[in-house]
């Protein structure tokens, strides 16, 4: 039954009040905020009419942080206190920062905290706090433009952001006072902005090359359902790397020997970025930079030389495209359109390479730097409740498989990569030893069969398991990934309901190329992993047999076996221990079979003896009841 709106006499019904929501593209180089106004999604400019906000923050002692263009202008003069490209540090640990040390002109705080902090004259700040300042500036712009408080935002993240990086983004939003409706993968946001959900059904590719990250996603539109078939990319590949390539050319061509000065490093990168942008529309540009003692170095840079310098980066993007199509079981001919996203896709060589690989002109109708924010705004408008009749359905996927460690250092996959989220999967496990009352749960991520080759996400314990024989307990482990790609894990003993759980928080420590390496290694080492897994499984079986038979011999060996029988079993056990220490799966399997053969009579006698003890003193009627 429909509801009718009633009003008091003399009053007119209140119209539906539009709730204020926005989409935010928190970018490596620049950030934007967008909103739906009068039915149109558009990015919101500042008081000077500029839509982009440089993702740059300067800290000064005794003053509030400076964000945006003013901070960017100061970056060359004060590089130690001016933070740029902070997105590359989100969710990363101290070990990763050490690897990036040569690219970063910052000093990091020496502490035992797993969260790196950049030392400035105003104090030490984490990447989360720096990102929060950028989000605060965007929030202020949005609320001033829209004339009210934002009730919710959708923030975009690279599809390849792991759980730690996603959680760090949500933490930054919380610090900035924002209510996050959802974290949305950047390629998905771009597809929404281009209106692919309203186009012909088929397969689409979103090629997203930003300042610091690269994503490629394969999407399928089918009967109104917008599904991500596969995603790939590189979490540390983007326009910044092109800047470094030009900076290296400047250093080599100018003969500069010492580039350890932080101010010089920032001047080099600023000049390199300007040259890159100039070569978008020109075949040659004049590079000019002060390289020390007031000396100004000038040299023309051609687009041909620039293309040669960035070609390895271009090939890395195409490698990721090939892998994503393979994961989606598609060929380039199966792709209807290719969407270009991100400021770095303005580079002519990038567009040329994408055109040649896919055999079609990529879509560039919307400004590639604005498209992600616009898509996020459209999604925010729906999630806040302004479009209750919307039937848009977004199905994102997880980028890497999630599993749990089992005996022998093996990984049992719970949720395979490219599974649509949100998702919940459960699997049952059991105890390894008699009387075991606790179990350690190790959550891992990756594509390899071995824990040593996977990434550790979290550890927790399930205690209070009733003492039972090995293999009798039933432990149900459930993995849940929400719409933001964040993971929670629960372990429960099914007979008693005893449970323990963990929300996987940022696990700082992901190396720059770990995700890419994980996927590549999963293909390159598939055969090796299969062999290693088979060996470890046989070793686990051998250990279990040695332990169980050893306990049985200690209890009943003296009464049920002759001296020669016991010697035969002991010899077989020793042979099994020797085989278990080797690397031959067949040798271990044969040794297990020999132990089973040697101990078969002993096992039968133990069973008979156990039955006799159970029936001793029982009447026939009592036996029937049993």
């Amino acid at each position: 039954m429909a509801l009718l709106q009633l009003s008091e006499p003399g009053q007119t019904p209140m119209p539906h009040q539009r709730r204020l929501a926005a989409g935010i593209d928190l970018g490596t180089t620049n950030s934007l905020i967008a909103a739906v106004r009068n039915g149109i999604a558009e990015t919101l400019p500042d008081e000077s009419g500029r839509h982009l906000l440089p993702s740059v923050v300067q800290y000064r002692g005794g003053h509030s942080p400076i964000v945006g263009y003013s901070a960017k202008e100061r970056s060359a003069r004060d590089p130690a206190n001016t933070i740029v490209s902070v997105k590359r540090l989100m969710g990363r640990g101290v070990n990763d920062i050490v690897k990036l040390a040569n690219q970063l002109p910052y000093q990091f705080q020496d502490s035992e905290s797993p969260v790196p902090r950049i030392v400035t004259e105003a104090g030490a700040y984490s990447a989360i706090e720096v990102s929060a300042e950028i989000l605060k500036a965007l929030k202020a712009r949005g609320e001033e433009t829209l004339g009210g408080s934002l009730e919710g935002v959708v923030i975009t993240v690279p599809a390849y952001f792991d759980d730690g990086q996603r959680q760090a983004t949500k933490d930054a939003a919380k610090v900035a006072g924002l209510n996050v409706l959802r974290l949305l993968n950047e390629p998905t946001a771009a597809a929404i902005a281009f209106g692919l959900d309203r186009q012909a059904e088929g397969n689409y590719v979103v090629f997203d090359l930003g300042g610091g990250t690269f994503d490629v996603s394969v999407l399928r539109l089918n009967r109104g359902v917008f599904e991500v078939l596969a995603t790939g990319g590189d979490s540390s590949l983007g326009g910044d790397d092109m800047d470094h390539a030009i900076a290296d050319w400047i250093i080599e061509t100018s003969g500069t020997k010492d580039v350890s000065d932080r101010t010089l490093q920032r001047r080099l990168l600023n000049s390199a970025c300007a040259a890159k942008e100039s070569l978008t529309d020109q075949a040659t540009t004049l590079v000019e930079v002060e390289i020390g003692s007031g000396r100004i170095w000038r040299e023309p840079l051609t687009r041909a030389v620039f293309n040669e310098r960035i070609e390895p980066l271009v090939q890395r993007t195409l490698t990721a495209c090939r892998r994503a199509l393979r994961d989606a079981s598609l060929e380039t001919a199966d792709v209807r359109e290719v969407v270009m996203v991100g400021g770095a896709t303005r580079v002519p060589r990038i567009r040329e390479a994408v055109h040649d690989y896919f055999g079609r002109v990529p879509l560039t109708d919307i400004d590639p730097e604005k498209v992600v924010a616009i898509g996020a705004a459209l999604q925010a408008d729906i999630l806040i409740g302004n479009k209750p009749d919307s039937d848009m359905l977004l199905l994102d996927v997880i980028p890497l498989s999630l599993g749990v460690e089992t005996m022998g250092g093996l990984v049992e996959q719970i949720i395979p990569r490219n599974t649509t989220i949100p998702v919940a999967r459960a699997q049952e496990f059991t105890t390894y030893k008699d009387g075991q009352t606790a179990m350690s749960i190790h959550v891992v991520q990756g594509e390899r069969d071995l824990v040593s080759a996977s990434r550790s996400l979290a550890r927790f314990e399930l205690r209070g398991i009733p003492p039972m024989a090995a293999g009798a307990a039933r432990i149900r482990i459930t993995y849940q990934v929400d719409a933001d790609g964040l993971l929670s894990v629960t372990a429960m003993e099914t007979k008693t309901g005893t449970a323990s759980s963990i929300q996987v928080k940022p696990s700082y420590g992901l190396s720059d190329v770990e995700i890419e390496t994980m996927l590549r290694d999963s293909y390159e080492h598939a055969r090796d992993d299969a062999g290693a897994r088979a060996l470890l499984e046989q070793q686990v079986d051998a250990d279990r047999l040695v332990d169980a038979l050893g306990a049985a011999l200690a209890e009943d060996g003296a009464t049920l076996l002759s001296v020669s029988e016991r010697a035969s079993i002991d010899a077989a056990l020793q042979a099994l221990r020797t085989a278990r220490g080797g690397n031959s799966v067949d040798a271990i399997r044969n040794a297990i079979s020999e132990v089973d053969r040697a101990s078969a009579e002993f096992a039968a006698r133990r069973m008979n003896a156990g039955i006799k003890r159970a029936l001793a003193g029982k009447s026939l009627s009592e036996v029937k009841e049993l």
Side-chain angles (χ1 to χ4, degrees):
M1 179 182 295
L3 295 178
L4 298 179
Q5 183 178 6
L6 301 179
S7 58
E8 295 295 328
Q11 292 183 343
T12 56
M14 289 290 292
H16 170 69
Q17 187 171 355
R18 190 171 187 83
R19 303 177 68 187
L20 298 183
I24 292 178
D25 175 9
L26 184 61
T28 305
T29 307
N30 297 296
S31 296
L32 300 97
I33 183 169
V36 176
R37 297 193 292 179
N38 300 320
I40 299 174
E42 56 187 3
T43 55
L44 307 180
D46 63 10
E47 64 279 0
S48 300
R50 298 171 299 194
H51 291 253
L52 298 178
L53 176 73
S55 301
V56 184
V57 181
Q58 183 194 34
Y59 290 93
R60 304 172 299 159
H63 297 82
S64 299
I66 297 175
V67 182
Y69 288 97
S70 296
K72 184 177 180 180
E73 292 170 0
R74 292 170 168 83
S75 63
R77 300 195 303 271
D78 189 19
N81 298 301
T82 308
I83 316 302
V84 301
S85 299
V86 71
K87 186 173 179 177
R88 282 194 160 186
L89 304 181
M90 292 289 277
R92 305 214 179 274
V94 175
N95 293 335
D96 304 308
I97 302 307
V98 171
K99 298 174 185 177
L100 290 170
N102 294 332
Q103 302 178 28
L104 302 174
Y106 313 126
Q107 178 183 348
F108 290 88
Q109 188 178 58
D110 186 12
S111 69
E112 295 182 358
S113 171
V115 182
R117 293 181 179 275
I118 301 170
V119 177
T120 72
E121 64 180 36
Y125 298 94
S126 68
I128 291 173
E129 293 168 300
V130 178
S131 296
E133 295 297 337
I134 300 170
L135 290 171
K136 287 177 186 176
L138 293 171
K139 176 187 177 185
R141 179 190 294 186
E143 293 183 340
E144 182 177 349
T145 304
L146 299 175
S149 298
L150 290 176
E151 296 185 48
V153 296
V154 169
I155 300 179
T156 61
V157 294
Y160 249 41
F161 255 23
D162 76 307
D163 64 292
Q165 292 165 307
R166 290 170 186 269
Q167 186 63 54
T169 302
K170 293 193 77 172
D171 290 344
K174 186 176 181 180
V175 173
L178 290 168
N179 172 37
V180 179
L181 301 171
R182 181 177 179 183
L183 296 181
L184 184 64
N185 284 349
E186 291 169 0
T188 308
I192 295 171
F194 270 99
L196 299 187
D197 54 305
R198 298 188 300 274
Q199 295 192 18
E201 294 186 351
N203 304 310
Y204 297 86
V205 169
V206 180
F207 185 100
D208 184 357
L209 185 62
T213 58
F214 170 61
D215 287 318
V216 57
S217 292
V218 183
L219 307 105
R220 174 175 293 160
L221 178 64
N222 182 31
R223 298 182 181 179
V225 177
F226 206 22
E227 181 180 5
V228 180
L229 299 181
T231 185
D234 193 322
S235 60
S236 54
L237 173 63
D240 286 358
D241 298 281
M242 298 181 188
D243 297 343
H244 281 283
I246 298 176
D248 291 341
W249 172 82
I250 296 173
I251 293 169
E252 295 171 14
T253 309
S254 66
T256 304
K257 302 296 183 185
D258 184 9
V259 291
S260 59
D261 180 70
R262 294 175 179 175
T263 301
L264 175 57
Q265 292 175 11
R266 180 45 53 193
R267 283 201 300 264
L268 286 169
L269 289 174
N270 285 351
S271 296
C273 182
K276 175 188 68 181
E277 294 173 354
S278 178
L279 288 172
T280 298
D281 302 312
Q282 303 177 37
T284 304
T285 187
L286 182 65
V287 181
E288 183 175 300
V289 59
E290 181 184 341
I291 58 176
S293 303
R295 176 191 167 203
I296 304 297
W297 179 87
R298 298 180 181 87
E299 189 79 19
L301 174 63
T302 65
R303 185 183 289 174
V305 172
F306 173 57
N307 289 347
E308 181 182 342
R309 288 279 175 161
I310 68 169
E311 189 60 25
L313 305 177
V314 175
Q315 293 305 315
R316 282 168 63 183
T317 68
L318 297 183
T319 297
C321 290
R322 280 190 287 271
R323 184 173 294 123
L325 286 178
R326 181 174 59 191
D327 288 346
S329 300
L330 297 176
E331 302 291 338
T332 54
D334 300 322
V335 177
R336 179 178 290 275
E337 298 285 0
V338 181
V339 176
M340 299 296 274
V341 181
T345 61
R346 295 181 187 274
V347 174
R349 174 62 190 133
I350 293 293
R351 294 191 176 185
E352 176 187 316
V354 172
H355 174 274
D356 292 345
Y357 178 70
F358 287 98
R360 56 184 49 77
V361 178
L363 297 178
T364 56
D365 304 6
I366 304 177
D367 186 329
E369 290 184 301
K370 295 181 179 180
V371 61
V372 167
I374 289 173
L378 291 168
Q379 180 69 180
D381 198 49
I382 293 172
L383 294 178
I384 204 66
N386 290 331
K387 296 184 69 175
D389 57 339
S390 173
D391 58 358
M392 183 188 297
L393 179 59
L394 303 178
L395 300 175
D396 276 334
V397 297
I398 60 171
L400 286 173
S401 300
L402 298 167
V404 65
E405 179 179 0
T406 59
M407 286 300 298
L410 295 172
V411 177
E412 183 67 26
Q413 276 192 6
I414 305 295
I415 303 179
R417 64 186 291 260
N418 285 328
T419 296
T420 301
I421 58 173
V423 63
R425 296 276 176 87
Q427 194 163 327
E428 284 196 352
F429 297 87
T430 190
T431 50
Y432 178 72
K433 290 184 175 292
D434 292 340
Q436 186 174 335
T437 60
M439 178 179 287
S440 175
I441 313 296
H442 184 195
V443 182
V444 296
Q445 182 181 43
E447 306 309 312
R448 302 283 296 277
D449 285 336
L450 309 181
V451 170
S452 59
S454 303
R455 181 186 179 211
S456 175
L457 292 183
R459 295 176 185 268
F460 68 103
E461 290 187 347
L462 174 64
R463 295 187 172 275
I465 301 173
M468 300 183 227
R474 290 292 177 266
I475 313 298
R476 178 178 289 271
I477 297 180
T478 304
Y479 280 39
Q480 290 182 297
V481 181
D482 65 17
D484 294 328
L486 301 177
L487 170 67
S488 61
V489 181
T490 301
M492 182 179 70
E493 198 283 308
T494 58
K495 291 185 179 179
T496 62
T498 300
S500 182
S501 63
I502 189 170
Q503 179 77 40
V504 178
K505 294 294 184 182
S507 43
Y508 304 105
L510 184 68
S511 66
D512 283 349
V513 295
E514 183 169 350
I515 294 179
E516 178 73 14
T517 301
M518 282 181 173
L519 294 178
R520 184 176 62 248
D521 288 352
S522 70
Y523 298 116
E524 294 178 354
H525 298 285
R527 182 173 297 178
D528 293 341
D529 283 354
R533 185 180 189 94
L535 176 61
L536 287 170
E537 288 175 342
Q538 286 299 313
Q539 289 174 335
V540 169
D541 288 344
D543 291 341
R544 184 182 292 115
L545 180 55
V546 168
D547 289 347
L549 186 53
L553 289 171
E555 183 178 348
D556 297 319
T559 57
L560 298 179
L561 293 173
S562 66
V563 173
S564 61
E565 289 173 331
R566 176 61 185 265
S568 177
I569 293 176
D570 286 343
L573 280 173
Q574 184 55 45
L576 176 56
R577 294 188 186 97
T578 301
R580 191 252 182 259
N583 296 318
S584 172
V585 174
D586 290 338
I588 299 175
R589 185 182 295 114
N590 293 336
I592 289 175
S593 297
E594 184 59 29
V595 170
D596 287 340
R597 187 196 61 76
S599 61
E601 180 61 28
F602 173 54
R605 293 175 188 173
R606 286 196 80 216
M607 182 178 293
N608 291 336
I611 294 174
K612 288 181 180 179
R613 285 194 296 269
L615 297 180
K618 298 288 192 303
S619 65
L620 183 59
S621 59
E622 290 174 321
V623 171
K624 289 181 178 180
E625 291 178 0
L626 291 175

